[in-house]
Amino acid sequence: MLSFDEIEHRVSQWMGKKRFKHTLGVVESATQLAKLYNVDVEKARLAALLHDCAKEMPLKDMQALVEASKYEADDELLANGNLLHGLAGMIRAEKEFSITDLEVLEAIRVHTTGKVHMSKLDKVIFLADYIEPNRDFPGVDELRRLAEQDLDKAVLLGFDNTINHLIKQHLSIYPLTILGRNDVLQSCK
Ligand SMILES: [Fe+2]
Ligand SMILES: [Fe+2]
């Protein structure tokens, strides 16, 4: 298997400067969250480094990657690169770097949509993607503060922000995102 630095170099060639900076920010935030919540730091760093590795592929290429794989995607996921890049990124990570760690692969897959029964690693990557140092949106500081106090409550706020944003933009909400949100809400009670 390639070293972290070698993978980092390859990943940097698959994306523009801005997204690579974001990726390194996610690695930084995922490292901090992993330490805070007793998650394997090496797994968190690897999943963070790879989470957006397919984000800049044309949608057609993402679809081809998924269709040539053993994995399945529903029509809604297949039609939207904002959703599909998680699964496509997981397949790319598995294919290009022979990553076999199922926890790492799953965290890459679900980093945007979320799902029901997210692992702590899934939550760390989902949240790090939101709060990494380059992120700047209304409410990001509150989310950063909450992320230091309560992982589930912070993930819930992340879901709520996403869903609110989608509603305001009159965009469709992926059903699994709603189920994931309701699931983590239960954990917050
Ligand atoms: Fe992403
Ligand atoms: Fe990202």
Side-chain angles (χ1 to χ4, degrees):
M1 192 178 141
L2 293 181
S3 70
F4 186 90
D5 288 349
E6 286 164 331
I7 296 174
E8 183 181 312
H9 180 68
R10 289 279 299 282
V11 165
S12 76
Q13 295 172 325
W14 291 344
M15 55 183 67
K17 274 204 171 88
K18 199 172 168 213
R19 190 167 321 277
F20 184 59
K21 200 175 164 198
H22 159 69
T23 294
L24 296 183
V26 177
V27 172
E28 187 184 326
S29 294
T31 304
Q32 290 167 357
L33 290 171
K35 286 179 183 163
L36 194 57
Y37 293 108
N38 291 316
V39 169
D40 186 308
V41 172
E42 292 314 310
K43 290 187 189 207
R45 281 167 52 80
L46 190 57
L49 179 63
L50 288 162
H51 84 284
D52 272 346
C53 76
K55 179 94 184 196
E56 294 191 7
M57 289 176 97
L59 179 60
K60 274 198 174 336
D61 294 356
M62 284 188 214
Q63 289 165 340
L65 200 58
V66 172
E67 271 151 25
S69 79
K70 61 185 176 188
Y71 301 103
E72 284 185 8
D74 59 50
D75 290 345
E76 202 173 341
L77 204 76
L78 274 175
N80 184 345
N82 287 327
L83 299 175
L84 191 60
H85 79 277
L87 176 61
M90 180 197 86
I91 295 167
R92 201 177 200 189
E94 194 178 28
K95 209 171 139 206
E96 299 287 332
F97 303 119
S98 307
I99 290 175
T100 53
D101 187 309
L102 296 178
E103 291 172 18
V104 170
L105 294 173
E106 186 66 357
I108 298 169
R109 185 177 77 84
V110 303
H111 82 267
T112 301
T113 58
K115 66 165 187 178
V116 175
H117 301 320
M118 289 168 79
S119 70
K120 273 205 285 182
L121 178 62
D122 297 337
K123 290 172 182 171
V124 161
I125 301 304
F126 177 90
L127 207 50
D129 194 20
Y130 265 106
I131 63 168
E132 61 93 1
N134 304 293
R135 289 285 198 201
D136 186 16
F137 57 85
V140 70
D141 288 328
E142 192 197 343
L143 198 51
R144 286 186 181 123
R145 265 195 302 277
L146 199 55
E148 288 180 9
Q149 291 160 9
D150 190 311
L151 184 64
D152 284 333
K153 283 186 182 152
V155 169
L156 177 64
L157 185 59
F159 271 121
D160 285 355
N161 281 347
T162 300
I163 292 168
N164 276 322
H165 170 80
L166 292 169
I167 291 171
K168 278 188 196 132
Q169 303 285 317
H170 304 291
L171 293 169
S172 152
I173 305 166
Y174 189 58
L176 191 57
T177 299
I178 298 174
L179 297 176
R181 186 258 178 194
N182 291 347
D183 180 57
V184 81
L185 178 66
Q186 290 302 316
S187 311
C188 289
K189 281 179 177 165

